[in-house]
Structure formats: structure tokens, C-alpha cells
Amino acid sequence: MGGAKAHYDCIKAFSETDFTEDLASIKAPVLILHGDDDQIVPIADAALLSAKLVKKGTLKVYPGLPHGMCTTHPEVINNDLLAFIRGEPVTGSQ
């Protein structure tokens, strides 16, 4: 939840900024999570490209989950986040 102006500014910033060099420069392990039913940020334009750019990236795609999957499915997302932090394999990673 937030103000309309803040939401607008956020969308404007991330849609107009090229993060290619930033993503390619990350050296730490990164977990990239994305629902394949995200209607706000299409997976092809975000997670799939990010996973190619981040050297130590782990991509996990959640079939049928929406943009707000951290809120709608916290039990699934939190388990994967904790596993990644512990250095355990994230099941279903691609």
C-alpha cells in the first residue's frame, strides 16, 4: 500500500532505467523469484533476462503465481528464501 504518486514514480523509474550493467556486475549469489502469471511485470521482460545477466543467479519460477506472490503465498516464498539463505538448494530452480 502506498500513495499514487509514489507508485507512479516507482513504475516510471524501473521502466525507464537500464539495469543491465548493474546486474552483470553482481558477484554475490542471487535468488531470482518470479510467478509466471505476473500481470504487472511479465516474466520474459524481468526474471528471465535477469537470470542471464547475474553470474551467480538462481532462478525459480512459480507456476500460476501472481505479481504479489510474497503476500498471496508467503508460506511458499518464505521457505525458499530461508533455504537460499542457509545455502540449501531451492527446489524447482531452473
Side-chain angles (χ1 to χ4, degrees):
M1 297 179 74
K5 173 86 167 93
H7 283 107
Y8 175 82
D9 289 344
C10 179
I11 292 167
K12 182 176 183 347
F14 79 68
S15 66
E16 295 177 359
T17 305
D18 182 0
F19 292 104
T20 302
E21 289 183 31
D22 296 311
L23 290 169
S25 71
I26 296 172
K27 295 179 179 153
V30 174
L31 180 60
I32 301 164
L33 309 175
H34 207 107
D36 71 357
D37 194 30
D38 189 331
Q39 302 295 309
I40 307 299
V41 180
I43 191 169
D45 297 332
L48 301 181
L49 294 175
S50 296
K52 291 178 184 176
L53 294 169
V54 177
K55 293 173 184 71
K56 294 182 182 177
T58 298
L59 172 63
K60 178 153 186 191
V61 177
Y62 296 88
L65 292 194
H67 181 75
M69 65 186 188
C70 294
T71 301
T72 61
H73 295 79
E75 68 287 349
V76 175
I77 305 303
N78 289 342
N79 285 337
D80 288 338
L81 287 172
L82 288 172
F84 183 76
I85 291 167
R86 292 180 185 129
E88 301 167 0
V90 178
T91 58
S93 298
Q94 298 181 354

